């Protein structure tokens, strides 16, 4: 086998050196490049992480301040309007937190300011932050401000205070801007990093270093902070080039920026150069001496690997060894990279540990502050509070609980069991006045079960309302409320209600007595009027009556009806006061109404030699629809007053038709009564149309009258949707007038004949029983009914009426109410109790009792209808026709025929 060409050793060594040197150099450069890039990325990522942590720190601080203000805004002192007590609470909190707390109303008036001595005058100065809170109803954080009193940079947070659903106050807290810088410093931000917090306008609020010199200055690069987060490159306040990141707070709108000096970012590059240059020099020297020093180099490489392994074991960062052997260089480079990564992980672990310790400390402080705030809030409650956990141990109490139950605060602070606290209350005599059931419940520890409400009366008379609610962990939360004042108020209200009920019963008794008097008076006056009007009707029905006699009888009838109307005034006034006015519209003649009214007052006018006259507008229809009785009542009131208050001259009635359309169904009329009497002064007209009132006392004495007529007239005209008023001058006379709209009706000549002649009976003739103790009334009713062909039998009392109905069949019974012996109501009830057909005979009350309550009593007794005395014959005939009209089979005659 032929041998290869022999080469000098240096050739192989050189070739080996070259083969090892070039890759080693390339690997070294690449590793250095990646290390520089990784180091720069790490620093930038650290900057971003520090930025997020700084933002979280600032937001946590602001959130805690807002939460503190919101808790303070729910103080019961504000609900009760006790600003003095609220000021003390705010002062305690201000001293604890190192803040300035101010309470202003929505107009800007300060009510509480912990920065000024208590009792000092407080200004009215609306703040931008207060207006923002009042406008949005949400918590608001201000930009950097200069304190009005301290003249130092500060920041203000404000929350709304709602009372009964409305914003009543704005509660704000001010703290120094330097506290923000302190937060950044406490967060561990140190060179080469720096952090700044700026408000929404780009003004620096605080900085991690030199915060006093930076506060109030504009942030460099603020114009580049677009959006909620990002990065920028520029110079800081000191002119040092930095790489910065920023994040915007969603809570306050502030911007938190964190920057790292560019020199720190370039440090890895400088370090790589310091490493690469010696390596290159060493590699060159190694290449020159490789041929003679190969063995030595190999040993050197072995030694370096051993040293690197020992350094790696000690946790130190090692450099990659450079040797002529490539495998050795690769192993050394791997060890160097591993040492770098391990060192980085160790540093990250230490940083995480420091951050965790910082957060734990901050959280501990926050919990302590919240616990202090909760304790202060609970102590500010007006109600006593105690919470017992699932083991039966008292976990939480407040100051008011100890005060209400007279318990030692030190005893409560020892966290006794619920049973021990109950024994302490029992020993203190809190349940001395409790009953056996309450004491048994106390011993069974079931005095206030969950979700229950009870009241407890202490020996001193104090009434406590105890509300128990189950907690999520199986415990009980009890609220003790002092309701002593409320119960006293309820007792006073109950007494006032009792007094009001007594007064109401007395008023009802007075009203019943008045109604009884009115009923008696009405009955006693209507009974003789029934005879007057009844005989007038009988005379009017006489066909052989002379015209002059017929006219005089008509005057008697009109006068009786006018007297009846006056009697009804008293009842009407009672109904008017009760709002029970009823109208009876029917066709009438306006001319006849005026003529009859003038005829009734003519005698009085003639005695005073007064001229009476009437002027009726030709445009007035001959017949209109209205309540002629009420109209006559009003017109007679006005005419009587005119004659009474006129010594000489005339009284004139004018009836005019006000303009209306040709197709109008109503006729607007105006009736005026004009006299030449004494007149009414302007200043005394206000007394007119009031009950029991005339112009003055002298007239009341000189001219008789109750002063009731105009008051009734006004109510009646208003009930017809009309108006009534007066035009007058003292010494020249008066014109009383009323205006209203009345419906038009065509004239029917047959109606006139029906008013003066006996009407044709529309139905079959009937057998009627009349029960009345008054002989005049019996004669009038009997003659009126017999005049149209009815058969009438009469009895004088209720007992005779019952016997008559039992013995004979009648088509109708006309029953008086007030009769000696058995009255009409008793008789009706007994008739309704008879067996068979007699119990169903129609019964009509024919009585002078006309009050609505009386009519209702008649119907309740079994009567079917009612006719009031004095009555019109047309009304009597109509009532008989309703119950014995056409198509009715007269039972009396059929029964009589059967018996015959």
């Amino acid at each position: 086998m032929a041998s290869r060409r022999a080469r000098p050793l240096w050739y192989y060594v050189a070739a080996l050196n070259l083969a090892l040197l070039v890759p080693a150099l390339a690997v070294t450069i690449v590793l250095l490049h990646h290390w520089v890039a990784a180091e720069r990325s790490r620093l930038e990522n650290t900057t971003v992480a520090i930025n997020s942590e700084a933002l979280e720190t600032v937001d946590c601080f602001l959130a805690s301040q807002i939460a503190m203000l919101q808790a303070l805004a729910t103080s019961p002192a504000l609900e009760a309007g006790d600003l003095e007590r609220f000021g003390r609470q705010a002062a305690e909190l201000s001293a604890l937190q190192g803040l300035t707390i101010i309470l202003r109303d929505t107009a800007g008036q300060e009510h509480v300011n912990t920065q000024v001595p208590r009792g000092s005058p407080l200004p009215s100065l609306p703040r931008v932050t207060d207006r923002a809170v009042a406008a949005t109803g949400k918590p608001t954080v201000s930009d950097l401000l200069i304190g009005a009193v301290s003249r130092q940079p500060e920041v203000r947070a404000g929350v709304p205070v709602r009372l009964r659903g409305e914003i009543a106050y704005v509660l704000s807290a001010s703290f120094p801007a330097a506290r923000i810088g302190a937060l950044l410093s406490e967060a561990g931000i140190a060179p080469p990093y720096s952090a700044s917090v700026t408000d929404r306008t780009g003004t620096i609020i605080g900085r991690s270093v030199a915060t006093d010199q930076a506060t109030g200055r504009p942030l460099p690069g603020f114009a580049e902070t677009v959006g909620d987060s990002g990065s920028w490159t520029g110079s800081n306040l000191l002119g040092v080039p930095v790489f910065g990141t920023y994040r915007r707070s969603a809570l306050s709108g502030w911007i938190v920026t964190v920057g790292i000096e560019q020199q720190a970012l370039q440090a890895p590059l400088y370090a790589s150069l310091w490493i690469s240059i010696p390596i290159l020099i060493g590699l060159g020297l190694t290449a020159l001496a490789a041929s003679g020093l190969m063995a030595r180099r190999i040993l050197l490489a072995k030694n370096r690997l051993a040293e690197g392994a020992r350094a790696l074991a000690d946790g130190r960062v090692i450099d990659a060894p450079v040797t002529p052997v490539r495998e050795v260089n690769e192993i050394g480079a791997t060890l160097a990279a591993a040492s770098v990564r391990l060192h980085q992980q160790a540093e990250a672990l230490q940083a995480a540990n420091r951050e965790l310790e910082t957060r734990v400390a901050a959280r501990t402080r926050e919990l302590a502050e919240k616990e202090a705030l909760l304790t202060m809030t609970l102590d500010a409650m007006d109600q006593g509070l105690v919470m017992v956990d699932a083991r039966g141990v008292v976990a939480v109490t407040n100051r008011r609980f100890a005060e209400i139950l007279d318990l030692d605060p030190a005893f409560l602070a020892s966290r006794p069991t619920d049973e021990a606290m109950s024994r302490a209350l029992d020993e203190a005599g809190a349940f001395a006045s409790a009953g056996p059931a309450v004491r048994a419940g106390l011993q069974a520890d079931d005095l206030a079960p969950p979700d229950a409400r009870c009241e407890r009366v202490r020996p001193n008379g104090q009434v406590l309302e105890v509300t128990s609610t189950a907690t999520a962990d199986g415990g009980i939360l009890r609220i003790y409320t002092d309701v002593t004042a409320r119960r006293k108020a309820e007792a006073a209200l109950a007494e006032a209600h009792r007094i009001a009920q007594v007064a109401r019963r007395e008023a009802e008794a007075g009203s019943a007595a008045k109604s009884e008097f009115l009923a008696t008076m009405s009955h006693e006056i209507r009974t003789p009027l029934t005879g007057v009007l009844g005989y007038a009707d009988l005379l009017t029905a006489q066909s052989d009556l002379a015209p002059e006699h017929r006219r005089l009888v008509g005057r008697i009838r009109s006068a009786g009806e006018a007297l009846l109307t006056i009697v009804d005034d008293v009842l009407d006034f009672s109904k008017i006061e009760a709002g029970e006015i009823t109208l009876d519209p029917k066709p009438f003649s306006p001319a006849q109404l005026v003529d009859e009214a003038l005829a009734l007052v003519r005698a009085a006018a003639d005695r005073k030699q007064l001229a009476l006259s009437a002027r009726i507008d030709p445009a007035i229809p001959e017949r209109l629809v209205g309540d002629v009785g009420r109209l006559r009542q009003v017109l007679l009131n006005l005419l009587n007053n005119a004659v009474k208050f006129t010594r000489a001259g005339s009284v004139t009635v004018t009836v005019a038709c006000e303009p209306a359309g040709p197709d109008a169904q109503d006729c607007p009329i105006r009736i005026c009564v004009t006299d030449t009497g004494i007149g009414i002064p302007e200043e005394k007209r206000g007394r007119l149309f009031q009950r029991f009132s005339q112009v003055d006392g002298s007239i009341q004495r000189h001219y008789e009258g109750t002063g009731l007529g105009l008051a009734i007239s006004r109510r009646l005209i208003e009930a017809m949707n009309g108006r009534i008023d007066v035009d007058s001058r003292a010494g020249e006379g008066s014109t009383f007038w009323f205006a209203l709209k009345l419906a038009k009706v065509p004239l029917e000549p047959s109606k006139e004949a029906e008013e003066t002649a006996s009407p044709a009976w529309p139905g079959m003739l009937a057998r009627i029983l009349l029960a009345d103790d008054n002989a005049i009334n019996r004669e009038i009713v009997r003659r009126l009914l017999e005049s149209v062909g009815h058969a009438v039998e009469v009895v004088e009392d209720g007992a005779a009426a019952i016997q008559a109905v039992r013995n004979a069949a009648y088509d109708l019974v006309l029953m008086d109410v007030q009769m000696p012996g058995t009255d009409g109501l008793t008789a009706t009830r007994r008739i309704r109790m008879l067996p068979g057909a007699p119990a169903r005979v129609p019964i009509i009350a024919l009585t002078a009792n006309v009050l609505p309550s009386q009519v209702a009593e008649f119907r309740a007794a079994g009567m079917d209808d009612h006719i009031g005395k004095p009555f019109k014959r047309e009304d009597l005939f109509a009532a008989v026709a309703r119950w014995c009209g056409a198509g009715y089979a007269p039972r009396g005659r059929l029964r009589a025929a059967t018996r015959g």
Side-chain angles (χ1 to χ4, degrees), residues 12 219 857:
Y12 293 102
L219 177 70
E857 186 180 2

Side-chain angles (χ1 to χ4, degrees), residues 722-745:
R723 295 186 304 114
I724 184 170
D725 208 341
V726 61
D727 300 320
S728 178
R729 288 187 179 181
E732 298 183 6
S734 304
T735 298
F736 284 82
W737 58 269
F738 59 90
L740 66 163
K741 292 182 179 181
L742 300 176
K744 302 176 182 178
V745 294

Side-chain angles (χ1 to χ4, degrees), residues 825 829 852-862:
L825 295 180
R829 294 189 187 98
S853 59
Q854 295 173 328
V855 175
E857 186 180 2
F858 303 158
R859 294 187 182 278

Side-chain angles (χ1 to χ4, degrees), residues 737-807:
W737 58 269
F738 59 90
L740 66 163
K741 292 182 179 181
L742 300 176
K744 302 176 182 178
V745 294
L747 180 62
E748 297 180 9
S750 59
K751 298 288 184 180
E752 297 293 334
E754 292 176 2
E755 290 181 358
T756 58
S758 298
W761 180 248
M764 300 180 66
L765 303 180
R767 185 180 183 186
I768 300 174
L769 174 65
L770 171 62
D772 197 318
D773 63 326
N774 190 291
I776 295 176
N777 292 342
R778 291 198 303 270
E779 180 182 3
I780 292 172
V781 175
R782 180 180 58 78
R783 294 186 61 175
L784 286 174
L785 293 177
E786 288 178 347
S787 68
V788 293
H790 293 298
V792 180
E793 296 181 12
V794 296
V795 293
E796 296 182 5
D797 55 34
I802 297 171
Q803 188 64 31
V805 172
R806 182 183 289 113
N807 295 335

Side-chain angles (χ1 to χ4, degrees), residues 802 805-806 808 810 813 827-843 861-864 891 895:
I802 297 171
V805 172
R806 182 183 289 113
Y810 296 96
V813 177
T828 300
R829 294 189 187 98
R830 293 181 181 177
I831 290 174
R832 294 307 183 205
M833 296 172 63
L834 295 175
R840 297 188 295 273
V841 62
I843 302 176
M863 294 183 174
D864 300 292
R891 294 176 295 165
R895 184 180 300 179

Side-chain angles (χ1 to χ4, degrees), residues 537-553:
D537 284 340
L538 291 175
L539 289 174
T540 303
Q542 298 295 325
S543 59
D544 57 348
L545 193 65
E548 178 62 17
H549 293 166
R550 184 178 299 279
R551 185 182 68 82
L552 294 178
V553 171

Side-chain angles (χ1 to χ4, degrees), residues 497-766:
H497 178 72
R498 185 191 65 79
I499 294 174
Q501 291 296 321
V502 172
R504 181 182 61 81
R505 288 192 293 269
E506 291 177 353
E508 290 176 350
S511 177
K514 184 182 77 170
S515 299
E516 183 178 355
F517 167 75
L518 292 175
T520 303
M521 182 198 69
S522 173
H523 182 274
E524 295 304 320
I525 296 178
R526 286 172 178 272
T527 298
L529 275 179
T530 302
V532 174
L533 295 177
Y535 283 121
D537 284 340
L538 291 175
L539 289 174
T540 303
Q542 298 295 325
S543 59
D544 57 348
L545 193 65
E548 178 62 17
H549 293 166
R550 184 178 299 279
R551 185 182 68 82
L552 294 178
V553 171
R555 297 301 187 210
I556 294 174
R557 181 181 179 185
S558 296
E561 291 177 350
L563 178 59
L564 177 61
T565 301
I566 293 173
V567 172
D568 289 339
D569 281 350
V570 179
L571 300 179
D572 286 343
F573 189 73
S574 178
K575 294 179 181 179
I576 287 171
E577 287 189 329
E580 299 176 353
I581 301 177
T582 58
L583 301 176
D584 183 22
K586 60 179 62 177
F588 74 97
S589 170
Q592 183 178 354
L593 170 66
V594 173
D595 182 58
E596 291 177 352
L598 289 175
L600 291 173
V601 300
R602 187 172 299 280
D606 290 343
R607 285 193 297 270
K608 301 177 71 173
Q609 297 182 354
L610 300 178
L612 291 180
S613 62
R615 292 195 294 269
I616 300 178
D617 190 347
I620 295 290
E622 293 186 14
R623 295 182 68 79
L624 296 172
V625 175
D627 191 331
V628 64
R630 299 299 188 183
L631 292 173
R632 181 189 297 112
Q633 180 180 352
V634 174
L635 184 56
L636 279 175
N637 274 330
L638 300 183
L639 283 172
N640 284 326
N641 286 342
V643 172
K644 180 172 29 174
F645 294 104
T646 302
R647 296 188 179 91
S650 62
V651 176
T652 304
V653 179
T654 304
V655 183
C657 182
E658 298 182 353
D663 299 329
Q665 299 297 319
D666 295 334
C667 176
I669 67 170
R670 182 184 180 97
I671 300 179
C672 303
V673 176
T674 304
D675 63 60
T676 59
I678 61 176
I680 303 171
E682 178 70 25
E683 65 275 9
K684 296 183 179 181
R685 292 184 191 175
R687 301 181 60 183
L688 294 176
F689 303 105
Q690 297 181 8
R691 60 179 184 175
F692 309 114
S693 175
Q694 291 187 350
V695 172
D696 58 36
S698 62
I699 293 180
Q700 181 72 24
R701 292 190 298 270
H702 187 73
Y703 300 98
E704 296 180 354
T706 63
L708 191 61
L710 288 179
I712 295 177
S713 299
R714 181 175 186 175
R715 297 292 184 90
L716 292 176
I717 294 299
E718 289 176 350
M720 301 178 195
N721 297 321
R723 295 186 304 114
I724 184 170
D725 208 341
V726 61
D727 300 320
S728 178
R729 288 187 179 181
E732 298 183 6
S734 304
T735 298
F736 284 82
W737 58 269
F738 59 90
L740 66 163
K741 292 182 179 181
L742 300 176
K744 302 176 182 178
V745 294
L747 180 62
E748 297 180 9
S750 59
K751 298 288 184 180
E752 297 293 334
E754 292 176 2
E755 290 181 358
T756 58
S758 298
W761 180 248
M764 300 180 66
L765 303 180

